[in-house]
Amino acid sequence: MTLAPKNLQTIESHVLDLQRLHPSASGDFTSLLNDISFAAKVVSRDVTKAGLVEDILGATDEENVQGEVIQKLDDFAISVFLKCLGRRGQVCIMGSEELADPVFADTSQGTGKYIVVFDPLDGSSNIDANVSVGTIFGIWKRKSRLAQINQDDLLQPGRELVASGYIIYGSSTMFVYTAGKGVHGFTLDPSIGEFLLSHENIMTPFQSQIYSVNEAYEPRWSPEVREVLRQLKYGRGSKLSTRKDAPTEGAGMSSRYIGSLVADFHRNLLYGGIYLYPPTTSHPNGKLRLMCEAAPLALIVENAGGYASDGQRPILDVTPDDLHMRVPLYIGSREDVMWVETLLSKGSSAL
Ligand code: P6P
């Protein structure tokens, strides 16, 4: 006899239960999250069989606003999310990492209550090698009256997020989101086309044994960041002399870096870990985007008991000055990230 899945709760019913907590809710948020989960199913269908679909792998001959080559699946994912989001007119502005300017949506059928900023296919340069990739999204509420929409509606800090989440297209497709009442993960059952609750109330370990960083950039980091990585390896508080003595056990950390943020973040969320993307000489403000990557994941990790910092302050407190603003990112287990932030805030005195 085939056992029934652990939990037959779909994402739609989970969000409806959330909606019942707000009697005055219009249903716009529920339908928006359902639009996102539908778009995720469409993208998942093509990402998971990309090797078999004619002419969907590889790069286009275009670059995005970041100067990064757009993969064919990036184009596909952008078009799917733009088409699926806000079909009830509940979204007034959509922003994407891949598009230079925000898209003002048709609100004639609805309230235009929400702003959605998303990275449609993060890590897409890995797709041809069958590495897990992901979608990241953040949902804010409009502040001004519908007729007076302006930049302030778009450029809001993560602290103002109504909800955020990500979809990871990996060995299975998972949808993870928070609306401020816990972090919940749903696994796609392709045979019925539903995301079913598989990880309720995710809490990330307070301290961890994993760090994720691209160590090839060490020559481009500041001395303070190099010291953070040295102490992650040799042990917190260890002195430089350690490096000249006989080999030691070090701090016992493991290094895991997939080069796909959603995959690295998701593993660290479940197992405990810290992901670091420090400033470099080539990216003095870091490479990752505040609105469509750092802030949505910061809301997730804080609702799971973790923390996210730009090295000086909470990511959620950073107000964007531009849709594509970049920030340094240190995110994951609370104790680890707080320790990094403290060490970096000390500056050269910590060396
Ligand atoms: P690097 C992918 O391009 C991405 O935005 C994240 O998914 C990933 O963590 C990071 O950049 C990898 O950057 O500089 O290490 O190749």
Side-chain angles (χ1 to χ4, degrees):
M1 176 181 74
T2 309
L3 292 176
K6 189 169 55 171
N7 191 314
L8 284 171
Q9 179 157 31
T10 64
I11 194 166
E12 287 77 9
S13 66
H14 194 269
V15 180
L16 269 174
D17 290 348
L18 260 186
Q19 180 180 307
R20 287 194 191 101
L21 299 176
H22 305 279
S24 60
S26 64
D28 278 357
F29 175 74
T30 300
S31 74
L32 173 55
L33 220 58
N34 292 341
D35 290 347
I36 295 173
S37 74
F38 176 74
K41 293 174 193 173
V42 175
V43 171
S44 176
R45 178 200 61 194
D46 280 43
V47 164
T48 49
K49 63 179 186 184
L52 303 173
V53 179
E54 189 63 34
D55 196 27
I56 200 165
L57 282 179
T60 66
D61 53 7
E62 300 155 48
E63 284 189 352
N64 65 15
V65 65
Q66 331 284 345
E68 297 158 343
V69 174
I70 295 181
Q71 302 296 313
K72 290 174 185 167
L73 269 170
D74 280 323
D75 257 353
F76 172 72
I78 298 167
S79 63
V80 168
F81 278 93
L82 288 177
K83 274 194 191 109
C84 292
L85 293 193
R87 288 183 290 187
R88 275 187 28 171
Q90 72 274 49
V91 175
C92 58
I93 308 175
M94 287 182 267
S96 169
E97 173 192 299
E98 304 294 346
L99 303 175
D101 301 311
V103 173
F104 287 81
D106 171 14
T107 57
S108 56
Q109 304 304 314
T111 59
K113 198 187 289 184
Y114 296 108
I115 289 105
V116 184
V117 179
F118 59 96
D119 181 354
L121 210 57
D122 177 77
S124 55
S125 56
N126 293 296
I127 275 192
D128 293 10
N130 206 19
V131 171
S132 300
V133 293
T135 299
I136 308 170
F137 64 89
I139 302 173
W140 285 267
K141 256 190 183 166
R142 173 167 49 81
K143 296 235 179 253
S144 62
R145 293 164 47 80
L146 193 50
Q148 277 90 34
I149 292 178
N150 60 61
Q151 281 279 67
D152 295 345
D153 288 301
L154 178 64
L155 302 179
Q156 298 185 51
R159 204 62 77 187
E160 298 292 322
L161 276 161
V162 172
S164 73
Y166 61 89
I167 299 98
I168 178 168
Y169 311 100
S171 53
S172 65
T173 295
M174 268 194 74
F175 188 112
V176 179
Y177 89 102
T178 185
K181 295 203 182 311
V183 176
H184 311 288
F186 300 77
T187 300
L188 182 63
D189 180 336
S191 65
I192 57 173
E194 290 288 1
F195 280 107
L196 297 179
L197 184 62
S198 55
H199 297 69
E200 192 166 22
N201 283 319
I202 296 173
M203 291 305 287
T204 195
F206 190 66
Q207 197 177 13
S208 68
Q209 298 306 313
I210 298 172
Y211 71 88
S212 307
V213 71
N214 187 337
E215 303 216 34
Y217 295 157
E218 183 168 357
R220 308 183 204 171
W221 293 335
S222 69
E224 292 77 15
V225 169
R226 286 186 208 156
E227 179 56 15
V228 162
L229 266 296
R230 192 192 66 76
Q231 291 195 32
L232 280 174
K233 294 178 195 173
Y234 284 83
R236 295 179 189 176
S238 62
K239 296 301 174 207
L240 261 176
S241 60
T242 312
R243 297 187 76 158
K244 300 189 185 70
D245 300 345
T248 73
E249 277 305 298
M253 297 281 279
S254 288
S255 171
R256 294 285 184 274
Y257 191 71
I258 301 170
S260 186
L261 173 59
V262 172
D264 280 315
F265 176 83
H266 184 66
R267 180 207 50 245
N268 290 354
L269 183 73
L270 297 185
Y271 296 174
I274 178 171
Y275 172 99
L276 309 94
Y277 206 109
T280 67
T281 45
S282 46
H283 286 104
N285 296 315
K287 172 186 180 184
L288 301 173
R289 274 60 60 159
L290 173 63
M291 292 200 73
C292 65
E293 292 169 320
L297 295 182
L299 186 74
I300 291 267
V301 84
E302 289 218 0
N303 277 273
Y307 179 54
S309 170
D310 67 356
Q312 308 296 329
R313 56 188 164 155
I315 285 285
L316 291 179
D317 289 347
V318 182
T319 297
D321 53 23
D322 175 85
L323 172 60
H324 301 292
M325 176 176 167
R326 298 174 191 263
V327 286
L329 180 61
Y330 307 90
I331 188 168
S333 294
R334 173 165 289 273
E335 207 279 334
D336 295 341
V337 179
M338 299 293 281
W339 170 75
V340 169
E341 185 181 90
T342 303
L343 201 57
L344 289 177
S345 302
K346 282 180 186 163
S348 52
S349 63
L351 300 183

